[in-house]
Amino acid sequence: MFSGKKVLITAGPTYEPIDPVRFIGNHSTGKMGYALARRFAEQGAQVQLVSGPTSMKLEHPQVEVIPVMTADEMYAACQQRAAAADIWVFAAAVADYKPSRVAPSKIKKSEASFTIELVKNVDIAAALGKEKKTGQFAVGFALETDQELENAQAKLRKKNLDMVVLNSLRDPGAGFRHDTNKITIVKQNTVEEYALKSKDEVAEDILESIKKEWACVQK
């Protein structure tokens, strides 16, 4: 089903600079997004992987890696490619906020406290969801700590997604810095729960679930 299809995937964290040496970020490694890119490519898709800073490497003739640093850079890269893609997979852990001002030089330690004003970053999935065309398929990710299912279902509706891959930081072995993950796939009418597996196996489960749902969308 994926042979010849164009897939746009985001992966890893974003780093939002405070000054030339400091940033706001998170613990995402990019492992899940890279595993998905590899599996799509192995099944014949042409993959564009927009990756935040990560130590992950992926060399495959059908995968183009587009390195970015900030949420704005990730959004710009996705915006350029989204219209031509058949499937969007938003697996990156994009920072929700960024400093309102980036200091041009290193901020020196002086006072006992230091305040940074933050402003909202663009919500990439939501912004692109407004432009989604008939036949395109969009997958979002939700990492939650409470009211997991309710939050994932709300994200599905608000961002015009076809499915959301939910994982909880309360599940041992799931989330950031693990080679394993435990997911629940949330769709408009169904909820699919999976056991703890390696991220490569989780990627395979996600692709199989996309196949089933996308077949319905294409009809």
Side-chain angles (χ1 to χ4, degrees), residues 2 5 10-11 18 22 32 65 77 81-82 85 90 103 125 128 132 143-144 153 158 162 168 170 177 179-180 203 214:
F2 300 125
K5 300 299 182 183
T10 66
I18 297 169
R22 302 179 180 92
M32 192 71 254
V65 180
R81 296 163 174 83
F90 301 110
L128 293 179
K132 191 175 72 167
L143 178 62
E144 304 290 345
Q153 290 172 328
K158 291 178 181 178
D162 295 287
S168 171
R170 295 193 294 180
R177 293 181 172 176
D179 293 324
T180 55
W214 198 29

Side-chain angles (χ1 to χ4, degrees), residues 171-201:
D171 289 326
F176 297 146
R177 293 181 172 176
H178 292 289
D179 293 324
T180 55
N181 206 356
K182 185 178 185 297
I183 65 166
T184 299
I185 293 180
V186 181
K187 301 178 183 177
Q188 185 172 356
N189 298 313
T190 62
V191 175
E192 306 166 1
E193 296 186 6
Y194 295 82
L196 184 71
K197 299 181 181 183
S198 73
K199 287 187 173 176
D200 285 333
E201 293 173 309

Side-chain angles (χ1 to χ4, degrees), residues 118-131:
L118 301 177
V119 295
K120 270 189 177 181
N121 266 324
V122 62
D123 187 322
I124 297 173
L128 293 179
K130 295 175 182 177
E131 304 171 9

Side-chain angles (χ1 to χ4, degrees), residues 43-59:
Q43 295 195 25
Q46 297 290 329
V47 179
Q48 292 182 310
L49 177 61
V50 182
S51 175
T54 174
S55 62
M56 299 294 295
K57 304 292 182 184
L58 177 55
E59 294 184 5

Side-chain angles (χ1 to χ4, degrees), residues 2-89:
F2 300 125
S3 181
K5 300 299 182 183
K6 294 182 179 179
V7 180
L8 175 65
I9 301 176
T10 66
T14 64
Y15 287 174
E16 311 300 328
I18 297 169
D19 64 18
V21 299
R22 302 179 180 92
F23 61 86
I24 294 172
N26 57 61
H27 298 301
S28 175
T29 61
K31 290 178 181 179
M32 192 71 254
Y34 275 68
L36 285 162
R38 188 182 307 108
R39 294 302 296 130
F40 270 114
E42 289 170 353
Q43 295 195 25
Q46 297 290 329
V47 179
Q48 292 182 310
L49 177 61
V50 182
S51 175
T54 174
S55 62
M56 299 294 295
K57 304 292 182 184
L58 177 55
E59 294 184 5
H60 192 287
Q62 289 172 214
V63 178
E64 176 191 5
V65 180
I66 302 99
V68 297
M69 184 74 68
T70 67
D72 288 337
E73 291 174 359
M74 184 171 282
Y75 178 50
C78 289
Q79 227 182 0
Q80 292 173 13
R81 296 163 174 83
D86 300 294
I87 299 171
W88 304 338
V89 182

Side-chain angles (χ1 to χ4, degrees), residues 28 56 111 115-116 164:
S28 175
M56 299 294 295
E111 304 299 326
T115 301
I116 302 173
V164 170

